[in-house]
């Protein structure tokens, strides 16, 4: 059993975006992120295509108000980085909209820089 829990790091406006979602969706995402922090994968988590491997995952939850997604990365040993939380607006297809993919890509680069700082012990908390 893995007792080491990774710290959770919110990138950009991901925490603010999560807090704007319906309460039951927030609770569901929080539960899935807790699994990830403990090195496990929630049944609702799946690999987000387009990031070359299984290091970026998404959790999808449907609610009466629509479909919501939380995207995070397990790529770095130092922390679990939440990259983006949003409501999927598109009614056609299941693909993640380009605008959201761009946000995820940019925030992944930020997460990489933060992980490197943590690795080098250069952060001042």
């Amino acid at each position: 059993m893995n007792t080491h829990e990774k710290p959770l790091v919110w990138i950009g406006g991901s925490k603010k975006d999560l807090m704007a979602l319906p309460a039951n969706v927030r609770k569901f995402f929080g539960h899935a992120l807790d699994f990830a922090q403990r090195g496990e994968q929630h049944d609702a988590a799946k690999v987000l295509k387009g990031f070359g491997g299984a290091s970026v995952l998404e959790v999808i939850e449907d609610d009466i108000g629509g479909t919501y997604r939380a995207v995070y990365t397990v790529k770095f040993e130092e922390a679990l980085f939440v990259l983006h939380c949003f409501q999927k607006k598109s009614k056609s297809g299941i693909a993640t909209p380009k605008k959201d993919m761009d946000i995820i890509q940019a925030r992944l680069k930020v997460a990489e820089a933060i992980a490197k700082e943590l690795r080098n012990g250069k952060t001042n908390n």
Side-chain angles (χ1 to χ4, degrees):
M1 184 167 124
N2 184 4
T3 56
H4 174 71
E5 189 171 293
K6 283 186 180 183
L8 196 61
V9 177
W10 301 89
I11 303 295
S14 58
K15 187 169 188 178
K16 180 177 73 74
D17 294 340
L18 175 74
M19 297 313 288
L21 302 181
N24 60 317
V25 174
R26 288 196 314 264
K27 186 175 181 180
F28 184 81
F29 286 166
H31 187 63
L33 290 170
D34 181 59
F35 267 64
Q37 281 184 275
R38 290 182 278 120
E40 301 170 28
Q41 186 172 321
H42 191 277
D43 289 341
K46 64 179 190 137
V47 173
L48 180 61
K49 291 177 175 59
F51 291 93
S55 63
V56 177
L57 295 105
E58 69 176 336
V59 179
I60 301 172
E61 176 68 346
D62 290 318
D63 177 71
I64 195 157
T67 299
Y68 301 88
R69 295 182 180 193
V71 179
Y72 62 94
T73 184
V74 294
K75 183 176 184 177
F76 309 104
E77 216 31 63
E78 293 75 20
L80 179 77
F81 293 93
V82 181
L83 304 173
H84 193 28
C85 297
F86 62 102
Q87 179 178 7
K88 184 175 178 296
K89 301 265 200 275
S90 170
K91 300 294 182 221
S92 61
I94 59 170
T96 304
K98 181 179 180 342
K99 180 189 96 166
D100 292 303
M101 290 297 278
D102 291 346
I103 290 170
I104 294 163
Q105 187 70 53
R107 290 181 180 172
L108 184 59
K109 287 182 178 138
V110 171
E112 193 165 3
I114 293 171
K116 190 175 182 181
E117 286 180 5
L118 289 170
R119 204 172 306 129
N120 295 334
K122 292 182 181 170
T123 69
N124 44 359
N125 293 342

